[in-house]
Amino acid sequence: MDDFLIIGGGIAGASAGARLAELGRVTLLEAERALGYHASGRSAALFEQNYGPPPTVALSRASAAFFEAAGVLKPRGLMFVAGPDEDAALDRDIAAMELDEIGIDAARALVPVLDPARVTRAAWHRAAWDIDTDRLLQGFAREIRAAGAVVTGARAEAIWRIDGGWEVQTRDGSHTARVLVNAAGAWADDIARLAGIAPIGLTPKRRSMARVAAPEGHDPQSWPMVIGAGETWYMKPDAGALLISPADADPAEPHDAWADDMVLAQGIASWEAHVTTPVTRMIANWAGLRTFSPDGNPVIGPAPEDPGFLWCAGQGGYGFQIAPAASRLLADLAGGRAPQIDPATVAALDPARYP
Ligand SMILES: Cc1cc2nc3c(=O)[nH]c(=O)nc-3n(C[C@H](O)[C@H](O)[C@H](O)COP(=O)(O)OP(=O)(O)OC[C@H]3O[C@@H](n4cnc5c(N)ncnc54)[C@H](O)[C@@H]3O)c2cc1C
């Protein structure tokens, strides 16, 4: 019998597995043929420590040292822009993200295509980074393999409580472990039900992305990410092209998400409304599910009714930037160590808040 059996091979399960491998033998089961096929393969890959509710901010800040040591960050910077009716929203963004307001000329020096006729205010800071998400995910998976196994194409189909642990059945056989870790992203409530554990009430929310050609005559590589005041749309440079999202958050059932053409068009129209150059060509598009618990905070720790069932779910729109500290917290709780993160954050993430 293994010590830990993890269901879900996205960033939550992979990072949890890497930290739990320090405590015992880990097997990670991923339903798809590759790790990171769902939300974790579809993100904007940003590390912005002030983004999200306070417990998320605490986890992100506590993750910074790990990211720096792992060498997976590249400077990006972050700018919010506002039109004439968006002062209140921009003021809230400036306060929440600790941005510096800059003049329109300074904003155009950073992103030359911004339209001074439409953008009336802008705010910016340097402290936002691109995360090399694939390198991070594969690095965690390597740590698991060194002390256990990563099994892809292994969908958990049935789960039983057995003497001293759990048995999980897949198409190709069954796996047993002392402790079960639920890192199934949008499917995490389904996994809880299979295991006879009360679901949290998670809501997957679709977020769509278009990858479009960079404006003619511009190299956007050094541009910051640009977000519409109130997070109504965003643009992020991506390897010589632009990612544009309508920042949608439409509730959905767990599924292999795809982008709706009309929703993508809204995002592209929002970007075009703030710049002097049209979008000429869509290269690709996709959507992913950002999964939230009812209070918007992740759910990390033992299920109240069974300490052998660990939740690692509800990562919302922050799963990458919180992964180092969230996985450390899970391992601290599993190993009976005092958590490194502050007690208020531990309590805000505790599954027992959903009895
Ligand atoms: C468009 C978009 C932009 C984003 N931008 C950012 C960003 O800039 N920064 C950031 O930090 N985060 C961002 N996020 C959020 C981030 O991507 C998610 O929080 C994170 O990927 C969630 O990881 P996860 O491991 O919980 O879920 P997933 O990556 O969805 O992994 C869950 C896995 O569980 C597997 N699974 C489900 N059921 C079973 C089963 N029965 N048996 C075995 N396996 C199963 C699934 O196949 C899946 O691979 C973004 C998300 C989207 C969609």
Side-chain angles (χ1 to χ4, degrees):
M1 182 180 290
D2 284 342
D3 293 298
F4 301 99
L5 189 53
I6 299 173
I7 299 179
I11 188 61
S15 57
R19 296 291 64 82
L20 291 170
E22 295 163 8
L23 301 174
R25 191 182 147 83
V26 173
T27 294
L28 182 148
L29 303 179
E30 166 52 47
E32 305 291 350
R33 301 247 287 266
L35 299 179
Y37 174 82
H38 288 288
S40 300
R42 307 175 191 201
S43 89
L46 188 76
F47 179 53
E48 161 55 68
Q49 297 181 57
N50 297 331
Y51 181 51
T56 297
V57 169
L59 289 173
S60 298
R61 290 185 178 165
S63 296
F66 179 98
F67 284 130
E68 276 158 30
V72 292
L73 298 182
K74 284 216 183 88
R76 172 56 58 203
L78 180 67
M79 182 189 291
F80 274 70
V81 296
D85 305 325
E86 295 175 318
D87 285 326
L90 186 72
D91 288 338
R92 281 193 296 275
D93 294 330
I94 290 173
M97 312 290 271
E98 300 177 358
L99 305 169
D100 298 318
E101 184 150 7
I102 54 176
I104 299 306
D105 288 346
R108 278 172 50 80
L110 291 164
V111 183
V113 295
L114 288 176
D115 185 351
R118 301 297 300 269
V119 175
T120 50
R121 290 174 65 197
W124 181 78
H125 71 188
R126 200 182 292 280
W129 290 266
D130 289 349
I131 307 171
D132 186 336
T133 52
D134 189 52
R135 197 164 143 212
L136 186 69
L137 184 68
Q138 297 305 336
F140 286 137
R142 263 197 305 281
E143 287 187 71
I144 299 175
R145 287 192 188 98
V150 172
V151 190
T152 53
R155 183 179 304 279
E157 291 172 345
I159 302 174
W160 298 278
R161 230 344 179 163
I162 56 170
D163 195 19
W166 297 89
E167 180 170 352
V168 174
Q169 187 186 316
T170 69
R171 194 186 50 193
D172 298 322
S174 68
H175 299 262
T176 58
R178 231 169 19 82
V179 175
L180 190 62
V181 179
N182 181 7
W187 293 266
D189 271 348
D190 295 340
I191 292 299
R193 284 189 202 94
L194 278 182
I197 298 289
I200 297 289
L202 299 168
T203 305
K205 296 184 179 176
R206 185 189 61 184
R207 176 147 293 189
S208 312
M209 197 87 91
R211 189 162 192 272
V212 305
E216 193 80 21
H218 292 274
D219 176 1
Q221 195 42 44
S222 65
W223 297 358
M225 182 169 181
V226 180
I227 305 186
E231 199 185 340
T232 44
W233 56 271
Y234 65 75
M235 179 287 298
K236 185 169 185 275
D238 179 54
L242 304 181
L243 299 180
I244 297 178
S245 175
D248 45 331
D250 300 318
E253 291 300 311
H255 71 296
D256 189 355
W258 71 92
D260 176 275
D261 285 352
M262 293 302 289
V263 175
L264 285 178
Q266 277 169 21
I268 290 172
S270 298
W271 162 250
E272 286 182 318
H274 292 82
V275 295
T276 52
T277 48
V279 168
T280 53
R281 187 165 58 90
M282 179 154 10
I283 301 165
N285 66 74
W286 62 86
L289 299 177
R290 301 153 84 239
T291 298
F292 293 86
S293 82
D295 65 11
N297 293 323
V299 186
I300 296 171
E305 66 266 54
D306 189 333
F309 183 98
L310 301 181
W311 284 94
C312 187
Q315 276 76 0
Y318 329 100
F320 279 98
Q321 57 178 38
I322 66 172
S327 56
R328 165 60 59 198
L329 170 60
L330 192 78
D332 286 344
L333 295 170
R337 303 184 299 234
Q340 288 183 9
I341 198 108
D342 66 280
T345 300
V346 177
L349 304 171
D350 188 347
R353 72 191 191 277
Y354 296 120

